[in-house]
Amino acid sequence: DAGVTQSPTHLIKTRGQHVTLRCSPISGHKSVSWYQQVLGQGPQFIFQYYEKEERGRGNFPDRFSARQFPNYSSELNVNALLLGDSALYLCASSLSGSTDTQYFGPGTRLTVL
Amino acid sequence: QQQVKQSPQSLIVQKGGISIINCAYENTAFDYFPWYQQFPGKGPALLIAIRPDVSEKKEGRFTISFNKSAKQFSLHIMDSQPGDSATYFCAASNRGGSARQLTFGSGTQLTVLP
């Protein structure tokens, strides 16, 4: 079975630009969470979506937004990119929003120049 | 308080030795404590997890010890192998409303020497 997939693998943007990252959860999983991992640190929670609704939000500015589609895939959007947004963006999949176990994808490495 | 504190930051162990990584938390609402292993350029992979109603859980060479009163938990890797060299993260979560979000420690870079 395929695990969590994310695209693209790597991305380079300049300050002020917009970026869209994509995630497909494990088949049968209905919840997707997004995390930001800055180099040398643990992942930080950004959003959780379940059944196309936002169920949780971390301490990130409004420049960060996300959505979930009927097939349970998800997009993370970041507007007005800053240098500090450079990080590995991780998507995690779980059966439901309240399920303990989250399985992570390989991540998208975003570099903002 | 949502923070999870992890130590040590880095750890070097000889092949066959025991690797021990410690974590502490403040939020007594946490009820699920997973450990993740991350190799360079990869996403975190779930290794083992525990709930606060048990004091120890073992899976192969990996053991979690949990001390609810001290609000501490640790990962023990027995018979450490060079292939175990990776970054290890402890995490904790509680069910806030209908969502579960993981709060991660800062990570421990483990190097197992051959």
Side-chain angles (χ1 to χ4, degrees), chain A residues 11-28:
Chain A
L11 204 52
I12 299 175
K13 293 285 189 179
T14 56
R15 281 181 300 173
Q17 285 189 312
H18 162 91
V19 69
T20 298
L21 311 180
R22 296 177 175 82
C23 170
S24 291
I26 293 170
S27 178

Side-chain angles (χ1 to χ4, degrees), chain B residues 22-103:
Chain B
N22 301 298
C23 285
Y25 64 97
E26 290 294 327
N27 187 351
T28 55
F30 285 146
D31 63 357
Y32 175 70
F33 301 87
W35 285 87
Y36 284 86
Q37 178 190 56
Q38 187 175 30
F39 292 102
K42 305 291 185 182
L46 180 64
L47 204 55
I48 187 173
I50 198 168
R51 294 190 179 280
D53 54 345
V54 298
S55 60
E56 186 174 284
K57 183 174 181 181
K58 183 177 181 179
E59 290 184 2
R61 296 184 295 109
F62 301 92
T63 300
I64 299 179
S65 296
F66 189 87
N67 186 329
K68 187 174 181 178
S69 61
K71 292 185 285 187
Q72 296 176 348
F73 59 109
S74 60
L75 176 70
H76 295 231
I77 305 174
M78 311 300 287
D79 187 26
S80 298
Q81 299 296 312
D84 297 331
S85 297
T87 301
Y88 292 80
F89 291 96
C90 62
S93 77
N94 63 294
R95 194 158 114 181
S98 59
R100 276 201 175 268
Q101 63 184 71
L102 291 168
T103 300

Side-chain angles (χ1 to χ4, degrees), chain A residues 51-71:
Chain A
E51 294 285 11
K52 296 176 290 180
E53 291 186 5
E54 181 183 304
R55 299 300 182 102
R57 171 186 283 256
N59 188 24
F60 280 80
D62 292 343
R63 300 184 295 106
F64 290 76
S65 64
R67 56 179 176 167
Q68 186 176 35
F69 300 99
N71 66 353

